Amino acid sequence: MTSAYRTFVDNAYGSFHGGDGTQVNNHYYYREATSARLREEFRSRPRTIAEGDRAWLYRRFIEPTRFQQARRVLRDHHMALLSATPGSGLRAAALMLLHELPSTEGGFHELPDTVDDEDSSSQLDRAVLGKGDRLVLDLSGAEESRYLDVQGQLSDFRHRLAQARSHLVVLVPQRLGYILRSELRPLTTDLVRPSPRLVLARHLRCEGIQPTAAEMESADLVTHLATAPLRDVSDLAARIVRARDDGGSERGFPHWLREALVEVTDRSEQVAKQLSDCPAGSRRALLLALAVFHETTPTVVHGAATALMKILKQPSDDRPRLDHSDLHAEFKAIGATTRASGGVRFDDVGYDRAVRDHFWTYFPDIRRQLRDWVGDHVAGPELTQKERGQVVSRISGQCLRTGRPEDLVQLTERWAGPTGHGRLSPDAAQILGHGLADDRYGRTFRQQVYDWSTTGDLDPKLQQVLVQVCSEHMARTYPDQAMVRLHHLARRMRSPRPTALALFRLVEADDRLYRRLLERLSAGVAKGRWRADVTLFLALSDPTRLIPSPNVRAALTTGWGGAIRQHPVDLWRSDMHRWLMVCRDTRFRGPVLDVLTSACARESAALGSVYGVARRWARSHGDDSLIRSETAACLLRKINAAQGFVPFHSTA
């Protein structure tokens, strides 16, 4: 790949000339900040299937009722279907069923839940199944038509699972149980939610917190756990830990619990009463501005409130400024104080979240304006990176909670589009990451990322955001889909090198993904539409990796054939030298030369080009000239055999 670039500049913030000749500057603003934001925001998401995340979850997992039955079904049939009421930890149960299976040579991954390319008509494509794989297929949010379609494929796929000694757990929607096919019913287990009290206690114990039985019987806690989804129970444990770490261990569990519960208590009545007590639009604007831009400076909050009044066309108070109250009095009137750190916050812990929830829930007619308001104000220079990250988390949660994923898409395009500043790339990546991680809308966002990745005129900033989101977020749970999207981006980017590096890192330690990417690239090379496919194929193709595999050899043969027949020698000469060097090891000489010969079949001109490169390589200086000559001679014999010219006295 390096032959296509004279100089590559990474993370440059101004023009940079790397040597003589034409200057080409590639700027990837705030790339490290984007990576850091993604790592920080999603480092402990239980949705991920990485081994470390599964081990984290396994230590905290409480088996739901009938889990043993599901375990037995999976062991006996290589496939288990799981259903449960929402909030019962269905996904965690699926991951743990597969995690506790004996380790095998296969991988652990989630089957794609979108149709990415025209030739990928089935989610259960043969290409996604490797020997000993452990697979998850999430249909829990599927519509009727899709659910029926996949059911028709499961029976046949089950036989292939057994042949490959692989296992699949399918999450099925309980609400659609009436259309479950009869042959799949024996494989289906309806799980019952484990005790949320036990789940909370296990999470706390893993963090070194061991409350007494009496402390766990707190009336507020019992009320909360009665209806809380298990993910919220996990979040509550995290908040308790944060209260301990922030407030000091001497304050004790009851205090930490009160602080944590305040953040999730329904306080709509309290907010509604405050709004009725302050009918003035300016004060309501200040209330919401502080809730969204919580713990920022008075200047930021005041500016946000003023901008909100303007975007909502709220009439302003025309009295002279000094006839108005100052900000100190205004903040006090809404129950807020400026702290020693300089940030303004509500006196009641968690009240900012209550205000946001109330406005987004009970003012549905201004949600679009609220989106634009936040989008514009985040784009200003007043906020720090940390403050913008906090605002992004808040707005993401409200948009997803109120069923407006399109708002996150619009903000992503605004912040990383032609009019967006490079400093907003971390914010665009973070807000997109929230959408991808959402239970309800994750599939919608994966499809949106695909649509963006196949767009030819995408802004370079958005392209780079997608590269990082795919490689650092989506790849942890949906590596196949991440690979497909990175491939499409690499085809369309002016400088595909960073995307290529992300692709290669993704498949570096995963033979299954390596095979899939190799097959995609070789097919693309054969079609001859994308120049990037050739560059990527030549850089990826490894003459020693999996070459005994018939599928890998077929892909290598197709790719090399397209590269040699359709492109000048200068493009592939150095990569062929790399392949020929491997032939010094006699274990690889036969397979490598077979691939290069078969790639050109009976096309004399192409075979002549291959042999010409090999002959000049053999004549180059080095202390292995004899081995090089033997390799070139062996290649010539194979070429003659491919053309039907085999002397009776030759020894192939």
Side-chain angles (χ1 to χ4, degrees), residues 344-400:
V344 187
R345 60 172 298 140
F346 288 109
D347 297 329
D348 291 345
V349 175
Y351 194 62
D352 59 308
R353 176 175 176 175
V355 172
R356 293 193 300 271
D357 287 350
H358 189 90
F359 271 89
W360 258 268
T361 300
Y362 297 108
F363 287 88
D365 50 321
I366 64 169
R367 288 172 184 163
R368 179 180 60 80
Q369 291 94 322
L370 294 181
R371 175 204 67 197
D372 293 340
W373 165 61
V374 174
D376 291 342
H377 213 65
V378 165
E382 297 86 3
L383 298 175
T384 66
Q385 281 276 358
K386 180 180 179 181
E387 290 170 342
R388 289 207 305 272
Q390 292 169 339
V391 173
V392 166
S393 291
R394 294 164 188 157
I395 187 71
S396 299
Q398 295 302 328
C399 293
L400 294 170

Side-chain angles (χ1 to χ4, degrees), residues 34-199:
T34 302
S35 297
R37 183 82 67 84
L38 289 171
R39 288 194 300 269
E40 175 66 21
E41 189 74 15
F42 306 104
R43 68 184 183 277
S44 60
R45 291 273 174 174
R47 286 189 61 87
T48 60
I49 60 177
E51 184 175 0
D53 296 324
R54 286 186 278 117
W56 181 92
L57 181 59
Y58 186 71
R59 292 191 297 271
R60 293 160 175 79
F61 181 66
I62 298 292
E63 293 185 6
T65 304
R66 303 195 188 105
F67 190 77
Q68 178 60 33
Q69 174 186 328
R71 183 184 284 134
R72 184 169 57 253
V73 169
L74 183 62
R75 181 193 62 206
D76 294 343
H77 301 281
H78 292 266
M79 180 190 295
L81 280 64
L82 303 182
S83 69
T85 57
S88 298
L90 185 62
R91 181 182 175 82
L95 294 179
M96 293 302 94
L97 274 179
L98 294 168
H99 177 72
E100 66 183 17
L101 291 173
S103 298
T104 65
E105 59 184 300
F108 195 123
H109 63 281
E110 187 145 4
L111 293 178
D113 60 352
T114 60
V115 178
D116 290 338
D117 290 329
E118 293 179 0
D119 59 349
S120 298
S121 58
S122 170
Q123 292 169 294
L124 304 179
D125 194 298
R126 290 177 182 269
V128 305
L129 183 60
K131 185 177 295 185
D133 278 353
R134 290 174 284 176
L135 313 172
V136 179
L137 176 60
D138 189 351
L139 300 176
S140 58
E143 300 175 353
E144 284 192 22
S145 57
R146 179 166 166 257
Y147 185 41
L148 286 170
D149 179 59
V150 177
Q151 284 186 65
Q153 305 166 25
L154 284 175
S155 294
D156 181 54
F157 192 69
R158 181 176 149 198
H159 296 298
R160 299 205 296 272
L161 285 168
Q163 292 172 353
R165 299 192 300 279
S166 298
H167 296 82
L168 168 67
V169 177
V170 186
L171 311 185
V172 299
Q174 193 177 62
R175 71 185 189 284
L176 298 180
Y178 63 93
I179 59 174
L180 180 65
R181 294 168 67 122
S182 58
E183 67 269 20
L184 296 176
R185 291 189 183 278
L187 305 179
T188 304
T189 303
D190 292 321
L191 300 178
V192 178
R193 185 170 90 140
S195 164
R197 182 177 178 276
L198 293 178
V199 172

Side-chain angles (χ1 to χ4, degrees), residues 312-333:
L312 292 177
K313 297 181 172 57
Q314 187 75 23
S316 59
D317 190 336
D318 294 331
R319 289 179 302 159
R321 178 66 185 92
L322 293 182
D323 289 344
H324 293 250
S325 302
D326 63 13
L327 280 178
H328 181 275
E330 289 293 319
F331 288 143
K332 184 177 180 180

Side-chain angles (χ1 to χ4, degrees), residues 462-489:
L462 181 52
Q463 287 179 329
Q464 186 56 42
V465 164
L466 296 179
V467 169
Q468 293 187 264
V469 167
C470 287
S471 60
E472 300 180 33
H473 187 288
M474 190 187 297
R476 299 179 67 192
T477 306
Y478 292 93
D480 294 77
Q481 292 181 306
M483 179 193 70
V484 169
R485 286 150 181 75
L486 288 170
H487 180 203
H488 281 299
L489 287 166

